Amino acid sequence: MIINTGGRTDTVQYYSDWLLRRFAEGYVLSRNPLFPNKISRYDLTPDKVDCVVFCSKNYQPILSRLHEITDVFNTYFHYTITAYGRDIEPGVPAIEASIETLIELSQLVGKQRVAWRYDPILLTEKYTIQRHLKTFASMAKVLAPYIDRCVFSFVEMYKKLDVNMPDLIPLTASDMDTLAQRLGEIARKHSIFIQTCGINGDFSRYGIHTSGCMTLDMLGGANGIIFKDLKHKGTRQGCHCIETRDIGAYDTCPNGCKYCYANKTPQKAIENFKLHNPASPLLLGEVRASDTILQGVQKSFKKA
């Protein structure tokens, strides 16, 4: 099975102590977001976990102890660095600091295990197409020697964005085509493998790949693993990723990104953050008497 540590919250930036403790103790509990009284237990041991996938906007809090996981498990790291400032991503470090941390991460784990995520791409009067292209080009020039690939996507128009981002300018088909064409050109110039994530459109004419951002080929190639030839069901329309088990929790990321899909509101995440106990096997709160804990299915995807 594949463990995903960052799909629901930025576990690395805000819950590193908890995450490291869970791997040290060899198990984790994950509450079902649809059925809150149901909890799954997963063993965090090399014989049960094929690969641990990380996704964060700031790896600095875990870098000094990351070896506690990488020395034992196969791993892959998604690092999100965009053009936005604190007006859009209040809790995220400045671009320059993020780039420095990505380089440090790459030097620790190897470039073959690091993907730079430039997503989601959204437009406002401040963050125009030209600004995106200029920022992306400057980042690509620096990051190219340190990454396995670049992954980008276009913002999904969730209803709550009407409240969280009233200044958002909807992307047209022409906007997306222009962005894809130019991003493809920039990536090609710097010999960067570039792909989309969760997008239905085909931009292969611009040298952009449409494979998922968590595929067995991708994870296997980075770690020297031969996986079975399995269908990748994805998690939503346009997604081509392999099935994973996310050990985080929704409404717990204090980053406060205005486009966030995982928090109902930034305030809700801040309130929940106060309920976090690093010693608990759950990321948020404690096990209650009314909870039912079941052992999660942990089938290996490795080829025998």
Side-chain angles (χ1 to χ4, degrees):
M1 68 171 293
I2 310 297
I3 286 288
N4 183 349
T5 72
R8 297 173 179 172
T9 190
D10 198 330
T11 312
V12 168
Q13 182 167 355
Y14 295 102
Y15 305 99
S16 285
D17 288 345
W18 174 84
L19 186 65
L20 290 161
R21 187 189 293 256
R22 296 316 335 130
F23 278 97
E25 295 186 6
Y27 80 100
V28 66
L29 299 183
S30 179
R31 192 177 294 280
N32 189 313
L34 298 179
F35 303 97
N37 288 333
K38 293 185 178 180
I39 294 175
S40 294
R41 184 189 190 278
Y42 299 111
D43 294 323
L44 299 181
T45 54
D47 60 319
K48 294 292 181 69
V49 176
D50 295 330
C51 189
V52 182
V53 180
F54 298 81
C55 188
S56 177
K57 295 177 180 176
N58 182 12
Y59 281 86
Q60 196 58 232
I62 204 173
L63 283 184
S64 64
R65 296 181 60 193
L66 191 57
H67 65 92
E68 296 175 25
I69 297 176
T70 58
D71 286 350
V72 181
F73 294 88
N74 298 308
T75 53
Y76 198 87
F77 302 84
H78 291 262
Y79 203 135
T80 303
I81 310 178
T82 66
Y84 313 120
R86 293 187 180 275
D87 54 331
I88 302 293
E89 299 175 338
V92 178
I95 292 174
E96 294 78 11
S98 295
I99 289 175
E100 289 178 6
T101 302
L102 184 147
I103 293 172
E104 190 175 352
L105 172 68
S106 179
Q107 292 171 336
L108 284 173
V109 304
K111 65 171 289 184
Q112 78 278 7
R113 291 189 177 92
V114 180
W116 165 36
R117 299 192 70 104
Y118 188 87
D119 68 339
I121 297 176
L122 57 84
L123 299 181
T124 66
E125 289 187 4
K126 179 178 179 180
Y127 297 101
T128 63
I129 290 177
Q130 289 306 312
R131 178 160 181 168
H132 276 294
L133 296 175
K134 182 179 180 180
T135 306
F136 183 84
S138 65
M139 289 184 187
K141 182 178 179 180
V142 177
L143 294 177
Y146 303 100
I147 59 173
D148 173 51
R149 66 190 63 210
C150 175
V151 181
F152 78 92
S153 68
F154 299 117
V155 68
E156 292 191 40
M157 301 300 291
Y158 298 102
K159 287 185 178 180
K160 59 185 173 184
L161 288 183
D162 293 340
V163 176
N164 294 346
M165 289 200 71
D167 55 336
L168 195 65
I169 300 173
L171 281 154
T172 66
S174 177
D175 292 334
M176 289 186 275
D177 191 75
T178 297
L179 281 159
Q181 180 180 8
R182 294 295 305 281
L183 293 179
E185 291 173 356
I186 295 167
R188 186 164 56 252
K189 177 181 178 181
H190 297 287
S191 301
I192 295 174
F193 181 99
I194 187 168
Q195 67 176 86
T196 57
C197 173
I199 294 175
N200 286 319
D202 180 5
F203 300 109
S204 58
R205 59 192 178 279
Y206 303 133
I208 295 172
H209 302 263
T210 57
S211 56
C213 62
M214 292 187 199
T215 67
L216 292 181
D217 283 345
M218 174 180 168
L219 303 180
N223 292 279
I225 307 170
I226 299 176
F227 284 113
K228 299 174 185 176
D229 184 14
L230 299 174
K231 183 178 180 180
H232 291 50
K233 298 178 181 179
T235 58
R236 63 188 188 281
Q237 188 176 19
C239 179
H240 305 285
C241 293
I242 192 65
E243 178 184 5
T244 67
R245 291 291 181 267
D246 197 310
I247 60 175
Y250 292 114
D251 294 314
T252 60
C253 184
N255 270 334
C257 301
K258 289 187 176 180
Y259 53 75
C260 182
Y261 66 88
N263 289 341
K264 290 185 178 69
T265 65
Q267 186 58 38
K268 179 70 172 177
I270 292 172
E271 291 172 1
N272 281 338
F273 182 68
K274 298 174 183 177
L275 302 177
H276 172 66
N277 174 9
S280 172
L282 287 164
L283 185 138
L284 184 64
E286 312 289 340
V287 176
R288 303 182 294 248
S290 58
D291 290 331
T292 299
I293 301 177
L294 298 175
Q295 180 64 38
V297 177
Q298 296 186 250
K299 293 182 179 179
S300 176
F301 296 147
K302 292 181 181 179
K303 197 169 184 178

